Amino acid sequence: MALINLPDFANDLLDEFTARKTERIDTPVIQPAEPFLDIAGEDLRRRIFMTESETGASLCLRPEFTIPVCIRHIETATGTPKRYSYLGEVFRQRREGGNEFYQAGIEDLGDINIASADARAIGDATGILARLLPGERLTVTLGDQAVFEAVVQALGLPLGWQKRLIHAFGNMGQLEALLASLVSPQFVTDLDHDVARLIAAGDEAALIAHIDATMHRTGYSSNASRSPAEIARRLKEKLVLSQTRLDDAAFRVLEEFLSLRVPLINASAALAGFADAAGLKLGNALSRFDGRVAALGNAGIDLASIDYRAAFGRPLDYYTGLVFEVGIQGSSAVLAGGGRFDRLLTLLGAKDRIPAVGFSLWLDRIETERAAP
């Protein structure tokens, strides 16, 4: 596809992709909307531009490249490991800047050496930006969703609360609101009397029968997207969650974890010290974190220049471990961002689990920084 109005550094960028042994890939601008609506998360969902096909199928303008690249990989039945690169337009509403802009990036699929692939993604992102912005001092912020998940799981909260907190990772406002409701629960008061009575009695069969009868009586059943059993399960979960209280000690543990912010060179020791002091067993999550730190050091990346923030996440629901962003000192603009998304290809239909990591570059922001005096 012919690309117009590309920035003047586009050829340098393509040279970098070639040197890093990637395969250039393009994907259609018109995409099925369902994967983005179901998988990408609320932050992207409310920004995409929707349309419909003649048959009524939901479509959208391509809001990002990771999901389309993964779908293309699955459809072509290409083996792994595979390194794809892309450069093209994406379309989504933004708080700042135009709604139609260029992104480029690399998606690294199928490398089973997780630590090495993570380090390569950060090294590729910073290496490319160093070429495009010579003389600028890059800043890297790194987080790890898997470590946060391990902390939440180790605290022994009900599974529903674990899912809520993990879903909010990276959004401090939402996370703080959830923690506040855990410390001071707001009990459910809007349940139908018969529903509340059946839940309290633990009579699941009667509860499902009551919901089924109500749905038929109101005519809701013919349009319902959930079965009576599913609705019963959700109502029971809602009641349990509303009655769960996070004790003060556990709340302080979460607060302490979320406040951790140290240079990456000190992060492994800080996390180990935190886990020991809190009496939490974080096992595999810390081992993988330590392995990534070692791989970054072996790749020659200055660990002291990377800022580890325990509360840092990115607003896409498909991330599973590493998350990172890159900018330049003195600017708040995010020039590159990415992370690990090991569950995404399976969710999109891949038969086998395919580990994956990647990043995107915002070309309009890079262009702005290049033009700055």
Side-chain angles (χ1 to χ4, degrees):
M1 181 177 69
L3 299 174
I4 59 174
N5 299 323
L6 277 169
D8 59 7
F9 55 83
N11 287 333
D12 291 337
L13 188 53
L14 295 177
D15 288 345
E16 286 287 327
F17 289 160
T18 299
R20 295 171 194 277
K21 296 181 172 55
T22 67
E23 177 185 326
R24 173 86 180 277
I25 188 173
D26 194 16
T27 63
V29 168
I30 303 295
Q31 291 282 324
E34 184 178 2
F36 301 99
L37 299 175
D38 291 348
I39 298 172
E42 178 61 30
D43 187 74
L44 186 63
R45 265 198 302 272
R46 57 191 174 84
R47 297 174 187 272
I48 64 178
F49 294 101
M50 297 285 295
T51 185
E52 281 190 357
S53 71
E54 290 184 354
T55 60
S58 293
L59 303 171
C60 67
L61 295 178
R62 181 178 60 205
E64 56 103 65
F65 269 95
T66 299
I67 287 176
V69 168
C70 290
I71 291 173
R72 174 74 173 272
H73 175 81
I74 294 167
E75 290 176 346
T76 56
T78 306
T80 57
K82 194 78 175 180
R83 282 169 57 77
Y84 294 109
S85 59
Y86 58 84
L87 191 165
E89 289 175 292
V90 294
F91 308 82
R92 66 175 185 252
Q93 299 178 63
R94 292 197 292 179
R95 297 182 187 91
E96 298 178 2
N99 297 329
E100 176 182 349
F101 54 98
Y102 282 104
Q103 277 195 333
I106 294 175
E107 308 294 1
D108 201 333
L109 310 183
D111 190 337
I112 60 174
N113 189 331
I114 302 299
S116 175
D118 283 357
R120 184 167 57 242
I122 295 173
D124 284 343
T126 54
I128 291 170
L129 286 173
R131 174 172 177 176
L132 300 181
L133 296 163
E136 297 285 1
R137 183 174 178 181
L138 299 178
T139 61
V140 182
T141 302
L142 182 148
D144 192 322
Q145 177 147 342
V147 174
F148 176 69
E149 291 184 13
V151 171
V152 170
Q153 290 164 4
L155 289 174
L157 287 168
L159 185 60
W161 266 113
Q162 291 184 33
K163 289 179 178 178
R164 287 186 179 191
L165 292 171
I166 290 166
H167 180 74
F169 180 67
N171 183 331
M172 278 307 296
Q174 185 181 358
L175 202 53
E176 287 171 353
L178 287 174
L179 290 175
S181 64
L182 260 175
V183 173
S184 302
Q186 300 295 315
F187 297 107
V188 172
T189 58
D190 59 348
L191 285 180
D192 174 85
H193 173 74
D194 290 332
V195 169
R197 176 178 56 80
L198 292 170
I199 292 176
D203 193 341
E204 184 170 351
L207 175 62
I208 292 172
H210 173 75
I211 293 170
D212 187 43
T214 302
M215 291 171 70
H216 278 89
R217 187 173 65 253
T218 59
Y220 177 75
S221 59
S222 61
N223 298 312
S225 60
R226 299 192 182 109
S227 69
E230 172 68 6
I231 293 172
R233 184 189 66 77
R234 287 175 176 265
L235 286 171
K236 288 168 62 179
E237 181 181 82
K238 181 180 179 181
L239 189 62
V240 169
L241 294 182
S242 75
Q243 295 173 344
T244 301
R245 183 183 183 277
L246 187 66
D247 64 59
D248 293 342
F251 178 72
R252 286 194 294 271
V253 167
L254 267 178
E255 274 197 320
E256 182 181 351
F257 173 76
L258 293 170
S259 70
L260 285 176
R261 180 171 183 170
V262 294
L264 188 61
I265 196 169
N266 300 325
S268 290
L271 285 171
F274 158 78
D276 288 343
L280 301 181
K281 296 186 183 300
L282 305 182
N284 290 336
L286 288 191
S287 296
R288 289 191 292 269
F289 187 94
D290 295 345
R292 183 192 305 123
V293 172
L296 283 163
N298 291 337
I301 296 173
D302 180 11
L303 301 181
S305 69
I306 299 178
D307 182 31
Y308 168 68
R309 290 169 47 198
F312 174 71
R314 302 197 69 241
L316 288 169
D317 283 359
Y318 51 64
Y319 287 122
T320 57
L322 166 74
V323 282
F324 71 95
E325 289 180 348
V326 187
I328 60 173
Q329 193 169 48
S331 172
S332 61
V334 176
L335 306 182
R340 176 157 291 279
F341 45 98
D342 289 341
R343 292 191 289 262
L344 180 57
L345 281 101
T346 305
L347 292 173
L348 292 172
K351 293 181 180 179
D352 300 315
R353 179 181 179 276
I354 300 175
V357 66
F359 65 92
S360 295
L361 300 155
W362 280 264
L363 303 197
D364 57 339
R365 298 175 185 173
I366 296 171
E367 189 171 30
T368 298
E369 297 297 342
R370 282 167 60 93

